[in-house]
Amino acid sequence: MNLLSFLSFLILAITLLTMVFGVIAYFLYKARERKKNIDDLTYEDAREKEHGELLFFTKN
């Protein structure tokens, strides 16, 4: 096997592995996002839940 064919095979293998890992990472990301189940909590809702006038700051 000469050097040129070996290097071209190496580039092809690395390219294919990169694509495969990209597809796997995409599906794992989508699965994590689907599992997250984010609620839309507004500032006013959080304030009512904590029974306070201000959530992050205090009055002097």
Side-chain angles (χ1 to χ4, degrees), residues 13-31:
I14 290 172
T15 303
L16 290 176
L17 282 174
T18 303
M19 285 194 245
V20 167
F21 286 143
V23 169
I24 290 171
Y26 174 76
F27 282 116
L28 289 176
Y29 168 74
K30 284 299 193 178

